[in-house]
Amino acid sequence: MNEPILSEVKGHVAIVTLNRPDVLNALSVELMDKLIAVLEGFDRDANVRVIVLAGSEKAFAAGADIGDMAEASFLDMYERNNLARWTRIKQVRKPIIAAVSGFCLGGGCELAMHCDMIVASESAQFGQPEINIGVMPGAGGTQRLTRAIGKFRAMELILTGRFIPAAEAYEAGLVTKVVAKEQFLAEAIRLAETIASKSPVAARLAKEAVLAVDELGLTPGLDYERKLFYSLFATFDQKEGMKAFLEKRKPRFEGK
Ligand code: DAK
């Protein structure tokens, strides 16, 4: 009942759910540790090809647990080394789709931005309201939000703490798609199933190449992409995918 992370596997899709409804899924240390363990477990599980990370209809997550931080000193925060936890989420190699409804704020928004796609319900609200409690984003919000929506919009959200509705987040480029409130989880799972029907090894390498855009300039990025592309010719899935096309049948990808 009090388990902060729930998970299940349907076919090749793992569904991970944040479960602290009383506090709008505030990201406690315990929740984060369990979330990382579950994500890393699915990353190793050969049957799982795509992960959906969801909250509830009311909240994806309203941020880090303020109760955990309110009395912390500089040294407490430094010693906790929370950033190492977030780095482990960044290192998950399988595609992760955030299924977002309701509040998606602070660390919650940063968690959604660690995912590879965001499916939002029309009732979702995004924001980095840390400024309202005397701090600023600490898990990548200044960097990832700015990359997603540009300096001038990110600056306004981060400096005012304003929440934006799903439609505005979509228009700004933060969100993959917006769907009716009743549909957000089903739609995220549908998208995951579509991706899971492709070659899982090609999907993982494509994710790696897209994420490299944040680290590399254009020429090294193109070189990196080309090397990953060539490496796929060592896989069964490339042979199967191209053969199936020529034989006018559906491919049977095996992830090898
Ligand atoms: N932490 C703890 N409890 C929270 C919470 C949070 N972030 N957000 C909501 N709650 C709790 C409320 O205290 C309340 O608990 P009870 O009073 O019922 O015991 C319950 O959830 C329901 O909330 P409200 O009564 O406030 O509900 P409303 O609908 O009136 O308002 C709200 C919803 C989302 C607008 C409001 O709850 C709110 O403003 N929440 C705080 C949002 C926020 O400031 N988020 C940013 C937190 S700071 C780091 C990485 C990341 C971070 C920090 C460090 N490192 C790598 C070092 C991230 C920091 C943050 O996210």
Side-chain angles (χ1 to χ4, degrees):
M1 200 58 187
N2 294 325
E3 207 38 67
I5 296 294
L6 307 174
S7 66
E8 61 177 317
V9 176
K10 287 185 181 165
H12 292 303
V13 175
I15 301 152
V16 179
T17 307
L18 309 176
N19 183 44
R20 296 186 76 212
D22 295 346
V23 288
L24 305 177
N25 291 332
L27 306 170
S28 61
V29 172
E30 184 201 6
L31 179 148
M32 288 298 289
D33 283 341
K34 291 192 166 165
L35 174 63
I36 290 160
V38 167
L39 292 177
E40 289 180 343
F42 286 138
D43 208 26
R44 284 190 300 268
D45 182 337
N47 179 55
V48 170
R49 296 182 175 184
V50 183
I51 301 167
V52 170
L53 177 59
S56 67
E57 197 175 294
K58 197 166 169 200
F60 178 74
D65 194 316
I66 298 170
D68 279 354
M69 298 182 289
E71 295 300 326
S73 66
F74 160 77
L75 206 59
D76 293 333
M77 293 301 281
Y78 182 74
E79 296 293 349
R80 280 181 203 172
N81 195 16
N82 273 332
L83 211 54
R85 292 188 168 84
W86 292 84
T87 302
R88 286 167 66 187
I89 297 176
K90 179 183 157 206
Q91 286 167 344
V92 172
R93 298 196 300 175
K94 291 179 184 168
I96 309 180
I97 300 173
V100 175
S101 181
F103 297 112
C104 184
L105 304 174
C109 190
E110 290 168 315
L111 179 59
M113 291 191 289
H114 274 70
C115 299
D116 303 304
M117 280 155 275
I118 301 177
V119 173
S121 111
E122 58 198 0
S123 68
Q125 295 191 67
F126 297 83
Q128 296 289 161
E130 292 90 339
I131 196 90
N132 295 331
I133 54 170
V135 288
M136 58 178 276
T142 62
Q143 306 303 300
R144 289 198 175 87
L145 188 64
T146 305
R147 281 172 165 79
I149 69 175
K151 169 187 161 186
F152 297 99
R153 295 194 204 203
M155 195 71 88
E156 188 236 339
L157 297 189
I158 290 167
L159 298 192
T160 67
R162 180 170 76 90
F163 301 171
I164 56 172
E168 186 177 342
Y170 176 76
E171 189 265 326
L174 178 59
V175 161
T176 308
K177 56 161 71 178
V178 182
V179 298
K181 194 158 78 174
E182 308 70 39
Q183 284 298 313
F184 79 99
L185 183 56
E187 182 57 32
I189 294 171
R190 228 182 337 266
L191 179 58
E193 283 168 344
T194 300
I195 296 164
S197 73
K198 317 292 180 189
S199 161
V201 59
R204 282 205 303 274
L205 294 194
K207 165 173 171 163
E208 199 176 319
V210 172
L211 291 181
V213 91
D214 284 342
E215 314 292 339
L216 304 175
L218 181 60
T219 302
L222 292 170
D223 283 347
Y224 190 56
E225 178 195 79
R226 195 167 44 228
K227 281 173 187 137
L228 293 178
F229 173 77
Y230 290 150
S231 71
L232 287 170
F233 284 75
T235 66
F236 166 88
D237 283 355
Q238 173 268 327
K239 300 285 173 297
E240 166 63 9
M242 294 191 179
K243 194 159 171 261
F245 176 83
L246 295 174
E247 292 172 358
K248 301 191 188 306
R249 62 172 174 82
K250 276 186 98 167
R252 284 181 296 273
F253 292 121
E254 295 187 11
K256 58 184 191 187

